[in-house]
Amino acid sequence: MSAPPATAPAWSDAGPYDAALRAGRGPLFLRRPDGWLLPLEVERWCARADAVDRDVLDRCEGAVLDVGCGPGRLVAELAARGRTALGIDVSGAAVEHSVRLGGRALRRSVFAPLPGEGRWDTVLLMDGNIGIGGDPCALLQRVAELLRPGGLLIAETAPADVDERLDVHITDARTASGTPFPWARLGTRALLRHARDWERAGQWTAGGRRFAALRSRSSRTTSSSAEPPKRTAVISSQRVRNTPGGRPVADR
């Protein structure tokens, strides 16, 4: 499955984005053609997982796929806990930073073929990544393909009650990178409206950030909570495969 036109190339070829990740600081923004700027929290992304992040990770089940992992603070924290986790990002700088922190990451679009499809227990869409591709319904459908039946999606939503589609550039406020690409901003209410084929598994606010948990529908019995007991495993490389039983693990 290929990425929506221009979305992955725009991020992967974004000089200001890669430069900010390598420096560990902004300023960095998404900019609309009318000049509107959305600040991107580069310093927080490049730091270690904070208390709000760790609370999200406490809610994760089993093997975790972090979509749009950025510089890898979440996959690094999961790896430190001995959890099976993989990050994907279209930015080479993001993947490099993830590996330096101790996480596992691949340079890949969520819409491209991925290891362990249909076997992941949890998918994360943090830091506004519900906006990837500018089509939340298409992204939710793709996430459902990646999860096991009854698997868990945890998404960070916009702090405001918004539901909008944008054409944006990545910019450091001096230069913009490439052609505009589609993005979306969704508050929790908007996400729940789009997630008609999902079961609600919780929503919460912490540290000024908002989150929603959704469970893919399944005929098997699953918990409705986003806080189940967690299974652990250790991975030792960036390559991930399926076991005969279907669990995504790493090649050794």
Side-chain angles (χ1 to χ4, degrees):
M1 186 178 296
S2 60
T7 303
W11 279 96
S12 60
D13 296 338
Y17 179 67
D18 280 8
L21 293 192
R22 291 191 170 104
R25 61 182 183 275
L28 196 68
F29 307 89
L30 294 182
R31 185 176 71 185
R32 283 193 316 215
D34 65 4
W36 175 90
L37 294 174
L38 175 67
L40 301 178
E41 299 182 71
V42 177
E43 289 84 353
R44 180 171 66 81
W45 297 352
C46 289
R48 292 286 181 174
D50 61 20
V52 176
D53 296 328
R54 293 193 296 272
D55 175 68
V56 170
L57 300 182
D58 288 343
R59 301 168 188 259
C60 291
E61 301 174 4
V64 181
L65 179 67
D66 184 6
V67 173
C69 66
R73 72 189 193 281
L74 303 179
V75 290
E77 173 66 20
L78 286 166
R81 297 181 182 195
R83 299 287 300 278
T84 300
L86 176 70
I88 59 169
D89 203 287
V90 296
S91 163
V95 170
E96 292 166 9
H97 197 285
S98 299
V99 173
R100 284 199 302 273
L101 283 184
R104 306 294 185 253
L106 295 175
R107 189 175 184 182
R108 201 75 59 84
S109 163
V110 66
F111 295 99
L114 294 172
E117 293 203 15
R119 299 293 184 266
W120 293 99
D121 297 298
T122 303
V123 168
L124 294 175
L125 287 171
M126 297 282 281
D127 304 322
N129 284 331
I130 188 63
I132 290 172
D135 185 343
C137 290
L139 182 57
L140 287 169
Q141 179 180 349
R142 177 58 176 149
V143 170
E145 295 170 356
L146 297 171
L147 285 167
R148 64 169 174 82
L152 188 69
L153 165 64
I154 299 179
E156 183 171 356
T157 56
D161 186 21
V162 297
D163 186 357
E164 58 185 3
R165 311 293 177 270
L166 311 168
D167 286 323
V168 296
H169 285 92
I170 300 173
T171 178
D172 58 9
R174 297 184 299 273
T175 59
S177 179
T179 58
F181 60 93
W183 196 253
R185 293 183 68 228
L186 273 71
T188 299
R189 290 175 61 184
L191 172 60
L192 297 178
R193 285 197 302 271
H194 289 292
R196 291 185 293 272
D197 296 330
W198 295 71
E199 297 175 359
R200 299 183 185 187
Q203 53 184 287
W204 66 97
T205 300
R209 298 160 61 190
R210 296 185 181 182
F211 305 89
L214 301 168
R215 193 174 293 282
S216 62
R217 294 192 183 274
S218 170
S219 58
R220 74 180 68 166
T221 301
T222 59
S223 167
S224 61
S225 169
E227 302 183 68
K230 290 167 282 296
R231 291 159 285 173
T232 62
V234 178
I235 59 178
S236 60
S237 80
Q238 294 181 55
R239 296 183 59 207
V240 180
R241 58 180 172 83
N242 285 337
T243 63
R247 295 275 300 168
V249 299
D251 287 331
R252 295 185 182 277

